[in-house]
Amino acid sequence: MIKLGFDEDFDGYGSDSDYNIFGIRPDPEGDGSRLVPQHRINMVKKIKTIKIPSTVETLGFFCFDFIGDGKTINIPKKVKKYVIAQFTKIKWKKITVSSQNKKFKVKNGCLLSRDGTVVYGFVQKKKKMLIPETVKTIDTTDWHTQQAGKGDYNGCPTIVIPKSVNKIAKYAFSTDKPVAIKIAKGNKRYAVQYGSVYSKVSGRLVLGYINNGVLKVPEKVTRINNATAGMLGRDTRLKKIIIPAGVKEIHTLLKTTYYVDEFICVIRCQKPPKLLDSLYVMYIYKCTIYVPKNCKNSYMKEWKGKIDPALDVKYIEM
């Protein structure tokens, strides 16, 4: 056996077959949240260990979706493709990688590159995830090796980023629930304030922490791009953002929020930041923007034509 999965399941794109290897899939008649068939789901719940034959070279894109957490599995030596997404979205009791696999290894519950310098996601649940000190890059996926899908960083309420990390991917990871990020002493590039991570070098907002619906941007941030920043608590409904005085540029500000009656934006910049993309949101129709005293007219002039006309915007001076 050199392939594991359905015949239509090996490219990861445009396939009608989204069954896992046990024949479980989202209900095609539903919204994707319900799995079928139930008798196979009950069967898989009883499985404790999955042993992938050492001869396997290729996995299907959906092989291990929907099987649930807490099982034991292995990654053979020749398996390199479609590993990141499906092996990190499941949190395993135990996962091993062949010492002869030239692409991946696992350490401290993290899926790493073989040389240990890149982390692609978490494969286990821990109260505190200590990313190994060999890691230099935190990544979501490696498109150069056709790893379709993003790595998953959920399952750990606290994540410790070591001083060795000097790159968090532009399309940084996000978590479903708010997560506490700690940066090890001596890290020269990243810092935390108000729970959010920012780059001390570029001023970029890297990971935005949503606390009770509020994102308070760190004081030293100069660039905000919610499309490329990760959100710590993306399933938390973002209702308000507080932007410090030093922000110069804003890209796609509100694309990470939806379904709120009114979005509140508090901006402390005397000079309006440049809106490099239109202020556009889905399922939000009303936005109140608070600006410094005597700045309302300059904001209205600078941002004219850059805000979605469907968005009911009101400017209020603080």
Side-chain angles (χ1 to χ4, degrees), residues 81-110:
K81 189 177 177 181
Y82 302 152
V83 169
I84 292 173
Q86 62 179 324
F87 281 90
T88 59
K89 74 174 67 172
I90 303 296
K91 305 307 174 188
W92 309 92
K93 179 179 180 181
K94 182 179 180 181
I95 179 170
T96 57
V97 182
S98 169
S99 61
Q100 298 178 59
N101 188 300
K102 296 181 179 180
K103 177 62 183 176
F104 299 108
K105 71 176 182 180
V106 169
K107 185 177 181 180
N108 290 7
C110 299

Side-chain angles (χ1 to χ4, degrees), residues 69-286:
D69 297 339
K71 303 183 190 305
T72 296
I73 199 168
N74 65 298
I75 301 177
K77 64 180 180 181
K78 293 186 178 181
V79 171
K80 300 175 184 178
K81 189 177 177 181
Y82 302 152
V83 169
I84 292 173
Q86 62 179 324
F87 281 90
T88 59
K89 74 174 67 172
I90 303 296
K91 305 307 174 188
W92 309 92
K93 179 179 180 181
K94 182 179 180 181
I95 179 170
T96 57
V97 182
S98 169
S99 61
Q100 298 178 59
N101 188 300
K102 296 181 179 180
K103 177 62 183 176
F104 299 108
K105 71 176 182 180
V106 169
K107 185 177 181 180
N108 290 7
C110 299
L111 181 67
L112 307 176
S113 60
R114 172 49 63 179
D115 64 3
T117 61
V118 180
V119 58
Y120 297 111
F122 301 150
V123 293
Q124 291 180 312
K125 290 182 178 180
K126 292 177 178 287
K127 290 183 179 179
K128 179 185 287 188
M129 179 60 74
L130 302 173
I131 295 176
E133 295 182 356
T134 57
V135 170
K136 296 181 179 180
T137 300
I138 297 177
D139 205 358
T140 51
T141 187
D142 184 354
W143 294 103
H144 298 293
T145 53
Q146 298 176 299
Q147 296 293 334
K150 293 183 176 183
D152 186 280
Y153 290 83
N154 287 296
C156 306
T158 300
I159 300 171
V160 180
I161 297 175
K163 66 179 182 180
S164 57
V165 170
N166 56 30
K167 180 182 178 182
I168 298 178
K170 192 172 182 179
Y171 293 88
F173 69 88
S174 292
T175 60
D176 295 338
K177 297 179 180 179
V179 166
I181 300 287
K182 298 182 183 296
I183 307 289
K185 185 177 180 180
N187 188 295
K188 296 181 179 180
R189 190 167 192 103
Y190 298 104
V192 177
Q193 187 181 34
Y194 309 138
S196 295
V197 177
Y198 67 95
S199 170
K200 295 185 287 187
V201 177
S202 68
R204 175 174 69 98
L205 177 65
V206 178
L207 300 168
Y209 180 79
I210 302 174
N211 182 20
N212 294 321
V214 178
L215 169 57
K216 188 175 183 180
V217 177
E219 301 297 330
K220 293 186 178 180
V221 166
T222 58
R223 295 191 296 123
I224 298 175
N225 187 348
N226 282 6
T228 59
M231 289 292 114
L232 303 171
R234 62 186 169 194
D235 285 355
T236 302
R237 193 167 296 178
L238 181 60
K239 301 177 181 178
K240 180 179 180 179
I241 184 169
I242 302 172
I243 298 175
V247 170
K248 308 296 183 185
E249 297 179 356
I250 297 175
H251 307 240
T252 55
L253 176 62
L254 304 180
K255 281 193 175 179
T256 54
T257 189
Y258 50 90
Y259 292 121
V260 294
D261 295 331
E262 178 182 11
F263 189 83
I264 296 174
C265 187
V266 178
I267 307 179
R268 294 183 173 144
C269 310
Q270 293 287 333
K271 182 180 179 180
K274 291 183 179 179
L275 278 184
L276 300 185
D277 296 291
S278 296
L279 192 61
Y280 167 78
V281 290
M282 293 181 65
Y283 311 118
I284 299 178
Y285 304 102
K286 188 176 181 181

